[in-house]
Amino acid sequence: MATGGGKHSADMTPAQALRWLGDMGADEHIGDTPVDRYAQSAAQSASQSAATSAAHPAERPRPAAANPARPAVADAPDLIAPSQGARDARDAANAARTLEELRASIEAFDGCSLKFTATNTVFSDGHPDADVMLIGEAPGVDEDRQGKPFVGVSGQLLDRMLAAIGLSRQEQGSKGVYISNILFWRPPGNRSPTTAETAACLPFILRHIELVRPKVLVFLGGTAAKTMLDRPEGIMRLRGRWFEHISDGLEQPIPALPTLHPAFLLRQPAQKRESWQDFIKFKKKIEESS
């Protein structure tokens, strides 16, 4: 209910007028003459602008340099230099001469924050003498609990797909597979790893490959493929194509094939056909290399 100010409240004090309006059931008070709030706002803004100008006189603009100098690399080392954690990881990884030493170096490494929220260090599974090395992204909750890669639902699907082409993590040589991840600790909540976390673990997985020296590498999922191949394309453009993994510690390049991650196949069963084609490809590559 609204009411206008009139003769009924002309002789009242403001408090009495307010009380009388409430008793009458009014919830809104409208004056006898309209008020232009937009004009008031504009005037107030103009007043504030004038006060600001008076307090802070405008500075004369400075002419831009014709050829502004770009900062030298030495002036901004943080933009390109690896983190201390990545440098420590590289030194520790390069010092490892066996898989046992590499595992010990990873378990002693404190340069990745994921280690302090994980239950276990997930190093590898399968036989290191297998011809195929599979590399995923990071452990999940089941892997973190058991300390082995790909033991959850997606790992079970992976085992069935490998068995379909005659491969197993229990075998070695041309019938076996060896499995690891880029990261050795589970990100909290299975979130995506940060760039710093990946950089801190990357030297270890590179050294891991050098020590195992598989005949064929298979990168499971987009993160593993893009990180290991240092390419910007997504997994749907990378999968099914052969690349070469090159490292200073290897005598010759290793054929590498990106394919879809088993967890993705669980969410998108229609993509299993493409993944099956990739498995046939690397199975054929193993036979040729043997």
Side-chain angles (χ1 to χ4, degrees):
M1 176 179 177
T3 180
K7 62 182 180 180
H8 297 290
S9 57
D11 299 329
M12 300 180 185
T13 65
Q16 291 172 332
L18 240 122
R19 190 178 301 110
W20 179 80
L21 288 171
D23 293 339
M24 294 295 293
D27 54 10
E28 183 177 357
H29 185 253
I30 303 174
D32 295 328
T33 58
V35 178
D36 188 348
R37 302 295 181 186
Y38 293 103
Q40 286 184 344
S41 178
Q44 184 178 8
S45 297
S47 175
Q48 290 176 347
S49 177
T52 301
S53 298
H56 303 283
E59 295 182 1
R60 180 177 298 177
R62 298 178 181 178
N67 294 302
R70 299 181 64 182
V73 172
D75 295 335
D78 294 338
L79 298 179
I80 61 170
S83 66
Q84 184 62 46
R87 290 193 294 268
D88 292 344
R90 181 185 58 201
D91 295 340
N94 290 338
R97 293 293 177 263
T98 65
L99 289 177
E100 291 73 18
E101 290 181 3
L102 183 65
R103 180 195 287 268
S105 294
I106 293 172
E107 292 176 343
F109 181 66
D110 291 335
C112 181
S113 60
L114 295 177
K115 178 181 179 180
F116 304 103
T117 57
T119 303
N120 283 303
T121 298
V122 181
F123 183 68
S124 68
D125 195 20
H127 204 290
D129 288 334
D131 287 353
V132 180
M133 183 173 184
L134 307 178
I135 298 177
E137 176 186 348
V141 61
D142 294 309
E143 291 75 16
D144 180 48
R145 186 181 300 115
Q146 299 185 39
K148 292 183 178 181
F150 288 93
V151 293
V153 178
S154 62
Q156 295 168 16
L157 174 59
L158 177 63
D159 286 342
R160 293 196 297 270
M161 296 176 69
L162 291 169
I165 58 173
L167 300 180
S168 168
R169 64 175 87 191
Q170 282 75 41
E171 299 289 339
Q172 56 182 310
S174 61
K175 293 184 178 181
V177 295
Y178 184 73
I179 309 175
S180 189
N181 285 303
I182 293 175
L183 285 93
F184 302 94
W185 301 281
R186 176 196 177 213
N190 289 347
R191 63 165 172 78
S192 298
T194 66
T195 302
E197 291 164 350
T198 302
C201 293
L202 186 58
F204 289 114
I205 192 62
L206 293 175
R207 184 59 179 158
H208 205 159
I209 296 171
E210 292 176 353
L211 293 173
V212 174
R213 296 178 183 269
K215 293 182 178 179
V216 176
L217 282 167
V218 178
F219 302 138
L220 301 170
T223 300
K226 291 191 291 185
T227 301
M228 299 304 297
L229 297 173
D230 192 21
R231 296 182 68 97
E233 298 98 323
I235 188 59
M236 299 309 293
R237 298 191 63 181
L238 292 173
R239 60 146 293 270
R241 298 165 55 190
W242 283 107
F243 298 88
E244 288 188 336
H245 175 77
I246 301 173
S247 175
D248 293 339
L250 294 172
E251 297 177 358
Q252 58 185 6
I254 299 175
L257 181 73
T259 190
L260 304 174
H261 196 285
F264 175 77
L265 298 178
L266 291 173
R267 299 190 301 269
Q268 301 288 338
Q271 300 293 335
K272 288 183 179 180
R273 181 176 181 178
E274 284 74 13
S275 185
W276 176 249
Q277 293 173 351
D278 297 343
F279 273 56
I280 295 298
K281 282 186 178 182
F282 77 76
K283 173 61 174 178
K284 184 178 179 180
K285 180 72 72 174
I286 297 169
E287 294 172 348
E288 292 174 351
S289 64
S290 298

